[in-house]
Amino acid sequence: MNNLFKMFLKSQKLAKVRMMLVIIIFGAITFFVFKTAPAPKDILQVDTSGGTITIHEGKLKGFSIDIPEAAYTSTVTFDITSKPFDNNEVPDLFEAITPLIHIDNQNTPAQQPLTVTIPIDLDTDHEYAMAFYYDETDGSFEAIPTIALTDDHIKIMTSHFSSIVVSKVKMSDLFELVFMSPEKFDSGFEAGIDDFPFDNYGSEIAPEGHCAGQSLGMIWYYTERKLKYSDENLFTRFNQKTPDFWIDDSDAYRFASVLQDTFDFDSDKFDHFFEMLDALDQARFLSVAYALYMTREPQLFAIYKTDEVTNEVYGHALVVNKLTYDLNQYKIHIVDPNFHGDTSRFINYHEQTGFGTYYSGSNAEDIANEKGINYDRIAHIGQSAFTDYKFIDEQYKKVLDGTIGDTYFSEVRFEYLRKTVEDTWVWTPLSNTLDYEGHAKDNVLSNTEIAIRVIAKWQNYQVTLFKNQETIASEFTNNWDKVTFIVDLGVGKNAIGILYSKLDRKIITEDFKQKYNAYHHFDITLVQTEPIVYDIDEIRAGLPGQYIEVERSSGVDINYPHLEITISEKVDTYMRFVYFDHALKTTNKKGDWFASLTVPGYESGTPILILDDYRQSDHYLIDPSAQTIKRLLSNGEYILYEKQPSVTYVYYYYHRVQMIQVSGNVYDYVYALIEGPIVYDKQWKIDMMNPDGNSGQDEVIFYTNNPIFDVYFRDSRSLYPFYRIASGGSGTYISMTSGDQYTLTIEIRNYVDGAWVITETQTFEFSADFTQ
């Protein structure tokens, strides 16, 4: 414990004054709860104001429970019964001197320890007594710390109740047994096996250390998990299979801190610990010795040191795991949270001189900075008397599901810079596992690097970056900044770790100290470590075909035409294409797309070919592997087109059949679908836009979704055909005079598999008679 106590050790004189005040106040308390004629069963109630439950008659006459104000948040009923203790299968040095007292308060734990006084008959010159929780189902005992012991009563402290019995032992027998049979005082708990695999450096929620939480967690796990359910040794249970790298034991470390935050023995509600220190050294030694003998389970110790100048008390918590005898003195063997795995630590006890001093510190950092302490005051705390084992069990379940401490520690978020298929970069939440393709960003990232940033709530914090358990970078901020790292990744899986710590200091002139929040582990697999160079010509070769719309974003106007895109077989740097609208039977757009040479296809991952239509502001993404085209509209919306398994070409033929007056002497043409032989009975003067009765001229046109083709026009009146390369449609003018009768053949050739092939032939008959 690295908290500076807010109280000072009471002197014997002050203790006497305090006792007198207690007696006076006790006499003035009006809230005594008892029956005027107590029976073997007493049912009593206490509310939030506290009080004293006292039994005045019967076998439990003199039994009392002192309940501080606010110990309970609601009214609690106490059902107190007793019966003879009749179990003969107990250790040799056990002798019950009270009935088995059962206190039922519906398993309601107190918010602070309660003081219980039990009447006994004892010769304190030669005998020692201790109270125990007793479990009738398995015959097990658990020691309860003693506050005071006299010939006629024992005073204990506890925050919960069950069945309690008090036993006595001859002091000489207990000392002799430690000397003769030390194995009977061995709990089986061992450093390096049953302690946590890390030292006590404190944390964000326990900045001065979490020795009490760490010690409690070790004892609880040993008794409640290992002994009861044969769980794996604690030393390896949560070490993430990295025994030499404790920093990643985040769940276990947070577990110790949460317990420290809840059961902080430095807090005022545990002032009664100082009453334990009033006892003689011999009584405190016998307390831990008898507890180890009766329970064969590790015990919690609190050790203290008082600064006589400032009256500040320094405290630390330890685990006692066994007793031995050596060189005319006893050794109390210690498992210290500041020295994980160390089996050599102990406190000496001599029958004449009492306890020796013990060197440790409030936390491991203080020891490393030569701020260790020689502790000279010792108190036996036991196991669960001052703690709620149900709470510890609830927190342990959170260790197992990875949520331990989430409501105690501050939140921190992690993001990485991701490249989208739209060729943009966005910060994206970083998951515990990530397959990363390694896109390059000019002057920022190479193909083997990833950008990771940390976002936290504190103004002052430190972030340390690890790769395969090796520190590769460390950054801090004192201005709520986002801390960003560029990490070079190796082939395959990379074990990336980020240690996040809050920076804390007591006074402004001190240096900041890192206070552990959590270690976050990420498995980032670099899918490709070298750029893959794609052949643009090869990619283009797979693009020709017919694409139809399969999806559009919600913001695209519903009236926006459903167009078909066709890319020609004849592919070069400029991709020929056409938009075709079947509803209107027209070519909506035709022309070239320019294929950019700086496409992501030159990087690792799926090749994306970016094309731009220089005639309009829309942007296009073509994914040859998925055979899709995504058209990005200027307002940010998109339309997705998907390639069809086969391509069909549809032709629509029109010819001019008449001219209508639009306004004044301005005329326009009217077209009609060709459905048979075409006979002209009117003549038109094209240049004057009105009929002249002497000659005629017409136009045959057609539309197609074909983006590029050769068209041949063959007029039966001429020996020489004429042709042109066309896109999306074409046509020709026809001159005629009265009496003409001829045919027009249209031959369409497409570029298929590297050659021009005739794919369509149409023949139309024409005649003209202007004499009508």
Side-chain angles (χ1 to χ4, degrees), residues 188-199:
F189 185 102
E190 289 291 340
I193 297 175
D194 299 303
D195 56 343
F196 285 110
F198 48 76
D199 288 338

Side-chain angles (χ1 to χ4, degrees), residues 533-765:
V533 178
Y534 293 95
D535 187 334
I536 285 293
D537 290 334
E538 182 179 341
I539 292 174
R540 291 195 186 103
L543 294 179
Q546 186 177 9
Y547 296 78
I548 66 170
E549 179 180 326
V550 293
E551 180 186 338
R552 58 174 57 193
S553 58
S554 59
V556 177
D557 188 344
I558 192 172
N559 295 318
Y560 196 96
H562 285 258
L563 303 176
E564 176 185 299
I565 299 176
T566 306
I567 300 177
S568 68
E569 290 266 358
K570 187 170 177 59
V571 178
D572 53 22
T573 301
Y574 291 92
M575 316 286 294
R576 301 304 297 270
F577 80 101
V578 65
Y579 283 142
F580 193 77
D581 187 337
H582 283 281
L584 299 178
K585 298 180 177 60
T586 59
T587 301
N588 181 272
K589 192 72 163 179
K590 57 187 177 182
D592 301 328
W593 281 349
F594 178 73
S596 172
L597 297 179
T598 57
V599 297
Y602 281 101
E603 300 174 2
S604 58
T606 302
I608 302 294
L609 189 61
I610 301 175
L611 303 176
D612 291 301
D613 176 8
Y614 58 81
R615 289 179 169 83
Q616 60 184 40
S617 59
D618 291 354
H619 188 69
Y620 303 85
L621 298 178
I622 292 184
D623 185 345
S625 62
Q627 296 190 310
T628 60
I629 296 176
K630 179 177 280 189
R631 182 182 183 190
L632 301 178
L633 307 182
S634 57
N635 60 359
E637 302 294 336
Y638 73 87
I639 301 175
L640 185 67
Y641 301 87
E642 188 175 84
K643 189 177 181 181
Q644 300 306 293
S646 61
V647 180
T648 60
Y649 299 105
V650 181
Y651 305 89
Y652 295 91
Y653 302 92
Y654 292 88
H655 72 105
R656 189 168 47 200
V657 294
Q658 64 177 344
M659 181 179 288
I660 63 171
Q661 186 173 2
V662 178
S663 63
N665 65 346
V666 178
Y667 290 79
D668 199 0
Y669 300 103
V670 176
Y671 292 84
L673 188 65
I674 300 175
E675 297 177 335
I678 302 167
V679 179
Y680 291 93
D681 57 2
K682 293 181 179 180
Q683 52 193 348
W684 309 91
K685 188 174 183 180
I686 302 304
D687 56 348
M688 297 301 296
M689 297 296 289
N690 56 49
D692 61 7
N694 296 315
S695 63
Q697 188 180 54
D698 203 351
E699 182 184 16
V700 175
I701 64 173
F702 60 90
Y703 293 104
T704 176
N705 60 357
N706 195 351
I708 185 169
F709 55 89
D710 279 351
V711 58
Y712 283 73
F713 296 98
R714 300 181 185 276
D715 190 332
S716 62
R717 299 172 299 181
S718 172
L719 295 176
Y720 304 101
F722 58 94
Y723 68 94
R724 65 170 62 96
I725 295 177
S727 173
S730 186
T732 184
Y733 290 105
I734 301 170
S735 297
M736 65 200 75
T737 60
S738 183
D740 279 350
Q741 188 171 355
Y742 66 96
T743 61
L744 178 67
T745 300
I746 301 176
E747 185 178 275
I748 298 174
R749 301 184 184 193
N750 286 297
Y751 193 77
V752 180
D753 295 330
W756 291 100
V757 179
I758 297 175
T759 58
E760 184 81 17
T761 301
Q762 294 286 343
T763 300
F764 303 103
E765 296 180 359

Side-chain angles (χ1 to χ4, degrees), residues 357-376:
T357 59
Y358 175 76
Y359 178 81
S360 188
S362 297
N363 54 59
E365 184 178 15
D366 281 357
I367 296 173
N369 293 329
E370 300 182 352
K371 295 180 180 179
I373 298 170
N374 284 307
Y375 296 95
D376 56 6

